[in-house]
Amino acid sequence: MAPQEESTEEAMGSEQKPISTILIIIAMQTEALPLVTKFQLSKDTDSLFPKGVPWVRYHGIYKDLHVNIIWPGKDILLGVDSVGTISASLVTYASIQALKPDLIINAGTAGGFKAKGACIGDVFLASDVAFHDRRIPIPVFDQYGIGARKTFSTPNLLKELNLKVGKLSTGDSLDMSPHDEASIVANDATIKDMEGAAVAYVADLLSVPSIFVKAVTDIVDGDKPTAEEFLQNLVAVTAALDQAVTQVVDFINGKCLSQL
Ligand code: FMC
């Protein structure tokens, strides 16, 4: 058999075997810890990651799944969660290399646009992701900067769970400059975060399907200051997020990628 045919068969095989290993990438400790408890995961003692990095892996068996929660940890100098695209890309890359997951779930909080139907506490499954702070006004580089891509399609999961669907726009700021706003509108986004499109880029690069579960902590086009609203709602909205992620994982259990 020609090598090309073999690899096609292999690829089809992985679509049809039950999902075995999942990687849940979560930027903030507050979001991650309730899920660590829920899935009864333990902290990795013998880190897969290079010595000295703050990245943390929690792992264990939940139902028929090897579940890994990866949290980029606290910044070594400042002691705050390592949010944003750089840490998200690095941990996604290192975790895929080490764990060869069947599926990635990027779970987290996000800002939502009420004009597009988002409310505080809503949980979204992103249909598409793109960046809003990588402006390169040269033909084709402009599209590279935006980095728009579709997420892995999960029609059955959507039918089963009560999640909203919308496009996600990612950038490295919590606030929104007028430039960012114009790009977010151009991206047709309903929700805005600081990691999603970066995780999607790395997952695509290494051919791992990825989905994005995002809960709305703040209304970007509302009248409250974002940082204040975000901090006020973080804990309560995290409960909704964690409930949705548990439902997603329960749905995935025992299924193949093609059944999602
Ligand atoms: N804009 C951008 N990011 C976020 C947001 C908003 N209005 N609300 N919540 C978030 C997410 C980001 O993805 C970060 O992980 C964290 O919460 C805020 O630092």
Side-chain angles (χ1 to χ4, degrees):
M1 197 189 291
Q4 213 177 347
E5 286 170 40
E6 262 171 38
S7 62
T8 310
E9 257 183 24
E10 267 171 32
M12 283 184 64
S14 73
E15 282 258 310
Q16 279 158 19
K17 267 190 293 183
I19 295 163
S20 160
T21 301
I22 60 171
L23 200 64
I24 307 177
I25 301 196
I26 306 187
M28 298 189 75
Q29 189 173 39
T30 308
E31 299 158 343
L33 288 186
L35 283 174
V36 168
T37 308
K38 166 79 204 175
F39 296 133
Q40 298 188 302
L41 307 181
S42 29
K43 193 172 174 177
D44 208 347
T45 43
D46 191 14
S47 180
L48 302 169
F49 303 131
K51 203 168 171 282
V53 301
W55 314 339
V56 180
R57 170 190 178 227
Y58 298 94
H59 63 107
I61 308 260
Y62 174 76
K63 300 192 171 172
D64 299 328
L65 294 167
H66 293 267
V67 175
N68 297 274
I69 290 184
I70 309 290
W71 166 52
K74 301 272 185 190
D75 180 83
I76 291 169
L77 284 179
L78 301 169
V80 293
D81 286 311
S82 308
V83 298
T85 62
I86 297 178
S87 293
S89 309
L90 289 169
V91 296
T92 304
Y93 176 78
S95 307
I96 294 175
Q97 290 293 90
L99 300 166
K100 308 274 179 251
D102 300 308
L103 178 72
I104 292 177
I105 303 171
N106 174 218
T109 55
F113 291 84
K114 68 170 193 260
K116 305 277 287 175
C119 305
I120 300 286
D122 279 352
V123 184
F124 279 85
L125 198 63
S127 57
D128 300 73
V129 297
F131 292 100
H132 56 251
D133 60 358
R134 309 200 321 168
R135 292 173 295 275
I136 317 171
I138 303 172
V140 193
F141 281 99
D142 51 2
Q143 291 167 49
Y144 165 77
I146 295 164
R149 61 193 78 237
K150 290 226 158 294
T151 61
F152 184 68
S153 162
T154 57
N156 298 321
L157 175 81
L158 259 182
K159 237 178 276 164
E160 180 83 9
L161 306 185
N162 197 21
L163 303 175
K164 290 191 171 181
V165 182
K167 295 184 181 179
L168 169 65
S169 195
T170 299
D172 269 305
S173 301
L174 181 67
D175 67 2
M176 183 171 70
S177 71
H179 268 127
D180 287 353
E181 187 173 6
S183 304
I184 291 169
V185 169
N187 288 343
D188 189 29
T190 306
I191 45 174
K192 163 182 182 286
D193 82 341
M194 298 174 64
E195 293 87 16
V199 172
Y201 172 78
V202 180
D204 259 15
L205 209 54
L206 300 176
S207 304
V208 183
S210 53
I211 62 172
F212 300 82
V213 182
K214 300 278 164 172
V216 175
T217 41
D218 50 275
I219 295 300
V220 186
D221 52 350
D223 37 26
K224 294 198 184 135
T226 296
E228 214 173 279
E229 198 178 18
F230 168 78
L231 290 172
Q232 216 166 52
N233 293 325
L234 180 61
V235 172
V237 169
T238 289
L241 173 70
D242 291 343
Q243 193 193 351
V245 172
T246 307
Q247 288 172 342
V248 169
V249 172
D250 284 338
F251 183 83
I252 287 169
N253 183 58
K255 295 199 177 60
C256 317
L257 285 171
S258 60
Q259 293 175 300
L260 301 183

